[in-house]
Structures are given as C-alpha cells and as structure tokens.
Amino acid sequence: MTNDINKVTPYNSEATKKSQVEDMFDNIAPKYDLLNHVLSMKIDVLWRNTLVNMMKKDNPQEVLDVATGTGDLAITIEKGTNAKIIGLDLSQQMLNVGVNKIKKLNLDGKISMQKGDAENLPFEDNRFDAVSVAFGVRNFENLTKGLAELRRVVKDNKSVYILEFSKVEGFLAPFYMFYFKNVLPAIGRLVSKDNRAYTYLPDSVNAFPFGEKMRQILLDTGFKKVEYKKLSLGIATIYKATK
C-alpha cells in the first residue's frame, strides 16, 4: 500500500514525486485557500479545531507543523495552545501566502515559516512537544521515511498528529466518490487553472492507507501507541501517534 501512494504523482512527468508536488502547490497557491474552503464547505475548519482540541491536552510549548501550506493549521494551533509554531513546507509560493496571512493576524512573533523537506527535517532529535501534519503525508515521496522523520523530531512520550483524508464507507460512499472524482476536480480546474492538481487529490486519497492500515504503518515506524478518530463519516481521520 505504501508503494502505491509513493507512485501516485500530480503530473505524469519524469520528475520525482517531490518536485511534482512542489510545482503543483506553487501553481495553485494563489487560489488554494478559496478552493479549500469552497470544496470542503468549510468543514476543514472543524477538522483542524478537533485536532487542536486533542493536542491541547499535551500543553505544547513548541510545535512543528509539517506541510503547513498557507498556515491554516499553524494559526489554529497557536490560537488554541499559545505555543510557538514553526511551519515547514516544500512550496515557497504556499509559504508566501501563509506569511502574509500571519502578518495580518499579528502572529509573526509566534509563527515562523520556512521552506523544507518533510523527509529530511532540519531539526535535532527530540525537539518538539508536538508535530502536526494536515493533508500532507499522502504527498510524501517516501511515506515511511517521512513518518520516521516526524517521529525523530518529537520528544519522547509526546505525539505526532496527522489529519488526512480517508474514505467514506457505507451507503453514502458512492455519492461521495462521485463528488470527489467528478465535481471536485472540475471546480478545481476551473478556479486554479491547473488541470491535474484536483485530479491528483482523489487519486492520492484512493491510494492512501487509512484506519487500521495507517495505524499499523505508524506502529511499524516505531511509535509506541497509535489511536485514531474518524471525522465526518470517514471523509477524514486524525491519527495521534505517541513516541
């Protein structure tokens, strides 16, 4: 399963998955926030709040938000925990949007943004009180390596929080998949002008391990305890993996 997700790429080119993901997010950065809220009907706000409510119990002082994008989760974490946040992302264009957003909210003293690679984190071992990733792990070129890096930089007995799309199960599944595979990419293409970005989204979600499979991958990576919570009938899942 991890091999499947590693093979799903945004563009059918010879470039590595990592560089294709970077190009894709650079392309869609100006419209990303608008599309995100429209396509999710703002339910993504609820999901991020749920993650932060779980993280609050750890009382973190310093948090790393990987695949931070335009900083929505980093901002939510700062508001909910008052922690100092480092947001890291491959895409400079996404970070540029995030930096402007953070400045407008007068949070630039609390949240810093930097370009970097989730699979080669530029931080020492056992540094952070919590690590978060929202909708980013399925974009890793090497899922196992990326998860191992998240584990490396979080402190012992502290947790990595992963918010990721999963799959709706039951009678609503066919309706959701129709929206996900047909309606969502059409709107995405229209607004972002990127023909592949919002086709890659359902493709990558379909290939991504979720639920018990993802829990087992996290345990195999070396986390001592993994729990997960399904959100909105399974559209997304939060995984809490404790080192």
Side-chain angles (χ1 to χ4, degrees), residues 16 26 38 48 59 64 68 83-86 104 112 114 122-123 158 183 194 204 214 216-217 223-225 233 236 241:
T16 63
D26 280 347
V38 168
R48 279 191 289 276
N59 192 28
L64 174 65
T68 195
K84 200 171 174 72
I85 322 285
I86 297 175
K104 281 180 188 167
S112 61
Q114 70 182 73
F123 307 107
K158 298 295 185 180
V183 180
D194 187 306
S204 62
M214 182 60 174
Q216 192 56 54
I217 289 167
F223 290 98
K224 67 180 180 185
K225 184 184 175 191
L233 303 172

Side-chain angles (χ1 to χ4, degrees), residues 11-29:
Y11 308 111
N12 298 317
S13 78
E14 295 302 310
T16 63
K17 177 173 180 177
K18 197 170 294 180
S19 75
Q20 290 185 54
V21 166
E22 182 178 355
D23 287 346
M24 177 186 75
F25 281 111
D26 280 347
N27 289 341
I28 66 175

Side-chain angles (χ1 to χ4, degrees), residues 157-171:
N157 299 310
K158 298 295 185 180
S159 301
V160 171
Y161 293 84
I162 295 168
L163 170 58
E164 190 51 87
F165 287 114
S166 41
K167 287 182 192 166
V168 174
E169 294 169 316
F171 75 99

Side-chain angles (χ1 to χ4, degrees), residues 117-128:
D117 178 1
E119 292 163 48
N120 296 284
L121 292 172
F123 307 107
E124 64 272 24
D125 297 358
N126 306 304
R127 169 162 171 183
F128 296 97

